[in-house]
Amino acid sequence: MKLIYSIICFLFISSNLYGQGGIIQGTVKNPVNNEPVPFANIVITGTEIGTVSDENGKYRIEGINPGLYNVRASFVGFKSKTIFEVQVTRARAVQLDFELEEEASDLNEVVVSSEFSRSDETPLSVRRLNANEIERYPGGNRDISRVIQSLPGVASTASFRNDIIIRGGAPNENKFFIDEIEVPVINHFATQGSSGGPVGILNVNLIKNVEVVTGGFPANRMNALSSFFEFELKEGRRDKMFTQLTVGASELTLSNEGPLGEKTTYLVSARRSYLQGLFRLLGLPFLPTFNDFQFKTTTKFNDKTELTLIGVGAIDQFALNFDVPNNETEEEREERLFRLDNLPISSQWNYATGAKLKRYRQNGFWTFILSRNMLNNEAYKYLNNDESDAANLLFDYTSQESENKFRAENSIFGKGYSLKYGVNYEFARYLINNFDRASLSQDGGIININNTAFFNSYGAFVSGTKTFKDERLLLSGGVRMDGSDFGLTAQNPLNQISPRLSVSYQFKPNLFWTANGGIYYQKPPYTALGFRNNEGELVNQLNDIRFIRSSQLITGIERVLPEKNRRFTIEAFYKHYNNYPTSIRNGIALANLGADFGVIGNEPVASNAEGRAYGIEFLAQQRLFNNFYGIAAVTLVRSEFTNPNTDGFIPSSWDNRFIVTMTAGKRFGKNWEIGGRWRFLGGAPYTPFDIQASTLRSNWDLRGGGILDFNNINGQRLDSFHQLDLRIDKKYFFDKWNLNWYFDVQNAYNFKAQQPDELIPNRNSEGGINVDPNDTNRYLIRSVRSTAGTVLPTIGIIIEF
């Protein structure tokens, strides 16, 4: 309380608000050879403030009033570059480094603008967000996964999960890289075999920008079908230590950065949640606790050799709340007891760590990456939560996924062309310890497995780009091959040849037509690869489980107005899936699973499902201009899959049909900022319950819940969902420190989104389930309409010093 009181007092002390101006400093370099770009012009756009870099590429701009600026660097023979929304304060100098790429053409009228994210390898389906955009997104609550849900083609759910559903693909079809090092898990309480969870792990204080690639994937990226996320962390400060403290409604975060000698800098952060207290006050039946950490070090041995180390991890705990709320109605009591009977006791921890060595030369660089990641997932459940008798144990599940990876890439650049090639190897270990009475094996026995599987995966790629017609025409393409010993077909890399080709043509300055075609492969989840029967056999290896294949076509038009920081795009896409795993038990493609907690794929599967997703995206984006910013996106999409027990294609669980997102904000005087986000999504399909099978006492006693009618897969559809999020920010700049408080409201008008109906048992006064008097083999079960969504206000304070 003393700290809060002190902060409030400082807000009213005006004498500290006046002092020296802010500073922007950094270097300008050529990213091909890491050599400095001397005498480059660095200008704060919209002003006459600027400077020129010295012979070592270094620059410094002083006397800047605190605020948010766009900063542009340019030099003859290089593509200009603008970094948007640079926050200037008096408490610290802004460390802002530029990388300027050399022009391949000397004709200025056809120069490709780099104001928005475009690269030769991925000239289409790329979106970029910087740190300020991430932090201030309404409803995002400084969570990168929620912010991404505002981008075109990205569907979201009405619940509090962070599932990322891109262009009709399942959540497990995305891959995440931090500074080119793969990080499989970016959410707390992640669904094993998928990627979603309720809260993101990554601390936005450390993120410089994030690039989302939703099509036209470069050949040096593997094992994903819907998107790649490239997170670039900031480099630690080179001059002095800097600390940031964030106090939010659900967690406390501490970040620190600075130099570790003349050649090394560091970033580090840690976060601790106190959600369990809030959930107990709200009377929710579960009490989650999460912790996470991140670090990065950068060591520049010399001008040509650089080493980056990163680490990210999380520890998640989950407990049940047996407290009885005051004034509980009979229906609320039945629903609370039902959830307590079905929620398992679970815990999870994960980490990823890696090293990247970059060695420059005159015409390119080598990149070597060595990394390791691990996920430990545990859950158990007793009948009626009675742990006093071992006979009450329904299931006890523990599994571990660990990967050790190596990747080597060589990048070569010339006048109007580039060439890349590389190899990768991965050694994986999957441990499973699974006792399960509820998920019966085919012979009706109890599952009791304790075993470990090892997998080797390998791949190679080559890619290149070439410009023609004075850089108007860009061709880029590549091919990669991947193999793994998890199945007979998968062992041979020739069975997974993955070609791709992109073309971009500039009709006139900043007006482009782009197109891409490619074939991509992804490994099934380890839960499926490592599944064993009670005899210890790798069942799905015997079934010749295969890489999932996706053939994709994309074409679009892009118009950029760099003088007003505006961008308009329209893209059409088509994806066709083959070899998607389907459950042998219930006949449903795993492509329909992944938006719930638990484990996906821990069962016998066959690689026999097909799928398709197609649609069109519209995007209008306004980067910060005259203190206004905004992004509007409309996506029309269809997502369909086959299932063994249905005829033809049927809607998948991600078939929202239409997605609309609009986000806008305005900066006012005295550092006030107001923003809003509105989302509208078509209702998603879902599979109803089989009432006859669910009410049988033998089934309910075994599973504790209803049984889905898999003969009617996704046979019903939810109502459309929409939500408004609002946010207010206020910043204060002092001589030695900064203060930012924000007020964020999710679901401002309290929309109740329809969810699939739930089956709730009728209970007697002792808590037992009532038997149907007309059929003693059945329980009395009722269907309850379920909704998601409530007004969720959040207040946060960010202190920097």
Side-chain angles (χ1 to χ4, degrees):
M1 291 300 297
K2 290 183 178 179
L3 175 61
I4 296 176
Y5 176 77
S6 300
I7 293 172
I8 294 174
C9 290
F10 269 118
L11 301 185
F12 296 96
I13 300 177
S14 59
S15 60
N16 283 344
L17 296 177
Y18 302 94
Q20 62 182 3
I23 298 171
I24 300 177
Q25 62 186 20
T27 60
V28 185
K29 291 188 176 182
N30 184 335
V32 170
N33 50 32
N34 206 40
E35 293 181 355
V37 179
F39 314 119
N41 295 306
I42 300 92
V43 177
I44 298 177
T45 61
T47 74
E48 297 181 356
I49 302 174
T51 189
V52 176
S53 61
D54 64 17
E55 63 273 12
N56 296 316
K58 296 181 179 181
Y59 75 93
R60 182 180 174 94
I61 305 175
E62 299 179 344
I64 309 169
N65 291 328
L68 207 59
Y69 300 95
N70 300 330
V71 185
R72 179 184 177 93
S74 61
F75 188 62
V76 175
F78 289 79
K79 298 177 183 178
S80 61
K81 184 174 184 179
T82 299
I83 298 179
F84 293 89
E85 303 191 24
V86 178
Q87 183 66 67
V88 177
T89 73
R90 282 187 290 269
R92 60 166 176 169
V94 177
Q95 186 171 288
L96 191 66
D97 298 329
F98 286 89
E99 292 184 342
L100 298 187
E101 300 178 7
E102 290 189 69
E103 295 280 11
S105 171
D106 296 328
L107 303 179
N108 292 330
E109 65 270 17
V110 296
V111 168
V112 179
S113 172
S114 62
E115 304 304 302
F116 289 85
S117 180
R118 292 180 57 85
S119 71
D120 289 350
E121 278 193 290
T122 55
L124 77 172
S125 303
V126 179
R127 321 293 181 208
R128 172 173 288 190
L129 297 169
N130 61 37
N132 270 294
E133 290 174 307
I134 296 169
E135 287 188 21
R136 56 102 191 284
Y137 249 73
N141 201 21
R142 298 169 52 82
D143 190 330
I144 182 60
S145 297
R146 294 188 181 274
V147 174
I148 289 166
Q149 293 175 347
S150 296
L151 296 178
V154 183
S156 56
T157 60
S159 64
F160 53 87
R161 286 178 57 86
N162 279 352
D163 299 293
I164 300 172
I165 304 161
I166 294 180
R167 290 180 171 176
N172 65 349
E173 296 177 11
N174 311 303
K175 284 293 179 288
F176 312 98
F177 292 82
I178 298 180
D179 287 330
E180 300 185 71
I181 298 169
E182 185 176 350
V183 177
V185 180
I186 66 165
N187 284 301
H188 290 282
F189 302 101
T191 300
Q192 191 175 7
S194 189
S195 63
V199 182
I201 291 175
L202 303 182
N203 181 0
V204 300
N205 297 345
L206 275 60
I207 296 175
K208 181 178 180 181
N209 58 62
V210 56
E211 191 172 80
V212 185
V213 184
T214 57
F217 308 135
N220 66 338
R221 292 291 182 261
M222 73 297 288
N223 203 30
L225 304 179
S226 283
S227 74
F228 288 92
F229 289 77
E230 303 281 353
F231 297 95
E232 182 182 359
L233 299 186
K234 298 184 298 183
E235 183 180 324
R237 294 193 63 83
R238 295 186 287 264
D239 50 0
K240 61 180 180 179
M241 188 173 68
F242 189 76
T243 301
Q244 186 177 68
L245 175 66
T246 303
V247 181
S250 61
E251 73 269 345
L252 173 68
T253 306
L254 181 66
S255 307
N256 184 260
E257 60 178 295
L260 286 175
E262 295 183 359
K263 298 182 177 181
T264 302
T265 62
Y266 74 92
L267 294 169
V268 64
S269 80
R271 177 167 57 167
R272 169 73 174 179
S273 78
Y274 35 85
L275 267 178
Q276 65 278 12
L278 176 63
F279 279 31
R280 190 181 294 276
L281 289 174
L282 295 175
L284 297 177
F286 49 92
L287 305 173
T289 303
F290 63 85
N291 307 271
D292 57 54
F293 62 87
Q294 284 178 253
F295 75 85
K296 173 183 177 179
T297 66
T298 304
T299 302
K300 298 182 179 180
F301 297 103
N302 51 53
D303 292 339
K304 297 296 183 180
T305 307
E306 181 178 299
L307 175 65
T308 301
L309 303 176
I310 69 143
V312 57
I315 302 173
D316 304 328
Q317 301 291 334
F318 187 92
L320 297 181
N321 180 14
F322 294 101
D323 296 343
V324 178
N326 296 326
N327 303 319
E328 184 180 42
T329 66
E330 183 62 27
E331 287 189 354
E332 291 173 341
R333 171 177 169 271
E334 290 178 348
E335 292 182 18
R336 177 177 59 83
L337 292 176
F338 167 73
R339 286 174 172 76
L340 288 175
D341 282 350
N342 281 271
L343 288 172
I345 307 295
S346 60
S347 63
Q348 188 178 105
W349 56 262
N350 69 83
Y351 69 84
T353 184
K356 178 179 72 173
L357 180 66
K358 208 164 188 178
R359 176 64 179 171
Y360 292 92
R361 57 183 185 279
Q362 190 60 36
N363 66 336
F365 49 83
W366 275 97
T367 305
F368 301 96
I369 295 176
L370 185 64
S371 66
R372 174 177 170 81
N373 57 264
M374 188 169 181
L375 168 69
N376 185 89
N377 194 25
E378 300 178 17
Y380 68 89
K381 186 67 181 177
Y382 283 82
L383 181 65
N384 299 323
N385 297 303
D386 181 9
E387 301 183 20
S388 62
D389 188 350
N392 290 332
L393 182 63
L394 296 176
F395 67 85
D396 188 356
Y397 175 87
T398 300
S399 75
Q400 293 181 347
E401 301 176 9
S402 60
E403 297 174 320
N404 302 279
K405 302 177 182 180
F406 173 75
R407 193 167 86 244
E409 299 178 5
N410 187 18
S411 302
I412 303 169
F413 300 89
K415 192 73 171 178
Y417 75 91
S418 68
L419 176 67
K420 287 186 179 182
Y421 61 86
V423 296
N424 61 277
Y425 171 75
E426 175 185 308
F427 175 71
R429 168 183 170 271
Y430 178 76
L431 177 148
I432 178 71
N433 186 352
N434 188 22
F435 173 83
D436 197 339
R437 298 181 189 273
S439 299
L440 297 180
S441 61
Q442 286 183 297
D443 59 5
I446 294 174
I447 295 175
N448 193 359
I449 302 168
N450 187 356
N451 221 316
T452 304
F454 301 93
F455 304 102
N456 296 275
S457 301
Y458 32 85
F461 80 93
V462 61
S463 65
T465 67
K466 176 64 178 169
T467 58
F468 301 89
K469 295 183 178 296
D470 296 322
E471 213 175 354
R472 289 185 185 275
L473 176 64
L474 167 67
L475 295 179
S476 61
V479 62
R480 67 170 299 115
M481 296 186 299
D482 290 286
S484 183
D485 57 8
F486 61 73
L488 181 61
T489 301
Q491 288 183 25
N492 187 353
L494 296 178
N495 293 328
Q496 289 85 226
I497 295 180
S498 177
R500 69 277 320 263
L501 176 66
S502 296
V503 58
S504 176
Y505 186 76
Q506 187 175 189
F507 293 109
K508 60 181 182 179
N510 298 309
L511 177 62
F512 306 91
W513 167 74
T514 54
N516 167 267
I519 299 174
Y520 310 102
Y521 289 90
Q522 178 176 321
K523 291 187 300 183
Y526 284 111
T527 50
L529 301 181
F531 177 77
R532 297 177 184 266
N533 57 22
N534 284 337
E535 287 71 44
E537 297 173 311
L538 287 170
V539 175
N540 296 322
Q541 188 178 71
L542 298 176
N543 293 338
D544 193 24
I545 189 171
R546 304 186 179 191
F547 278 87
I548 307 169
R549 169 179 163 144
S550 177
S551 304
Q552 303 186 14
L553 293 172
I554 308 169
T555 186
I557 297 290
E558 178 181 9
R559 179 75 168 108
V560 178
L561 303 175
E563 66 278 2
K564 295 185 178 180
N565 303 340
R566 291 177 187 168
R567 179 193 197 191
F568 303 91
T569 67
I570 178 173
E571 288 188 1
F573 59 90
Y574 179 86
K575 301 191 288 187
H576 190 276
Y577 296 90
N578 296 95
N579 305 335
Y580 227 109
T582 60
S583 169
I584 293 176
R585 289 178 184 156
N586 55 39
I588 184 172
L590 299 190
N592 289 296
L593 306 176
D596 203 354
F597 297 101
V599 179
I600 303 301
N602 184 37
E603 57 182 310
V605 299
S607 298
N608 58 3
E610 292 185 49
R612 62 191 181 193
Y614 52 93
I616 189 167
E617 292 178 357
F618 304 88
L619 168 71
Q621 183 179 9
Q622 172 71 68
R623 306 297 288 266
L624 183 66
F625 184 76
N626 289 337
N627 291 318
F628 175 80
Y629 59 87
I631 182 171
V634 178
T635 303
L636 306 178
V637 61
R638 294 293 296 270
S639 177
E640 302 168 323
F641 273 85
T642 63
N643 298 276
N645 57 352
T646 60
D647 295 327
F649 288 92
I650 65 171
S652 80
S653 298
W654 326 113
D655 184 47
N656 290 96
R657 302 291 177 91
F658 50 88
I659 308 166
V660 180
T661 58
M662 292 186 291
T663 305
K666 173 71 175 176
R667 295 182 59 82
F668 299 92
K670 298 184 179 179
N671 300 304
W672 285 91
E673 183 173 341
I674 298 177
R677 176 177 67 167
W678 187 71
R679 293 178 286 162
F680 187 94
L681 287 86
Y686 70 96
T687 302
F689 286 109
D690 184 335
I691 301 298
Q692 292 300 312
S694 298
T695 56
L696 285 173
R697 295 174 62 183
S698 56
N699 286 336
W700 193 276
D701 288 341
L702 189 63
R703 294 171 173 84
I707 298 175
L708 296 177
D709 181 6
F710 289 113
N711 291 317
N712 191 19
I713 296 173
N714 291 333
Q716 298 185 19
R717 187 177 288 272
L718 301 174
D719 294 336
S720 297
F721 153 72
H722 50 90
Q723 177 173 311
L724 174 66
D725 305 322
L726 300 173
R727 181 175 172 119
I728 299 174
D729 280 83
K730 177 68 170 83
K731 291 182 171 64
Y732 300 87
F733 302 113
F734 302 90
D735 286 342
K736 301 296 183 181
W737 62 290
N738 306 315
L739 174 66
N740 174 201
W741 66 261
Y742 63 89
F743 178 62
D744 188 287
V745 182
Q746 297 181 45
N747 196 17
Y749 51 71
N750 197 26
F751 180 78
K752 302 294 184 181
Q754 181 191 9
Q755 299 292 286
D757 292 347
E758 294 182 338
L759 294 183
I760 305 293
N762 294 327
R763 297 179 182 270
N764 54 38
S765 58
E766 288 77 29
I769 302 177
N770 292 324
V771 176
D772 187 346
N774 299 317
D775 185 350
T776 56
N777 292 317
R778 299 181 182 276
Y779 285 126
L780 287 176
I781 308 293
R782 59 188 173 91
S783 180
V784 176
R785 178 177 173 85
S786 178
T787 61
T790 185
V791 178
L792 185 60
T794 300
I795 298 176
I797 298 175
I798 304 171
I799 304 172
E800 299 176 325
F801 55 93

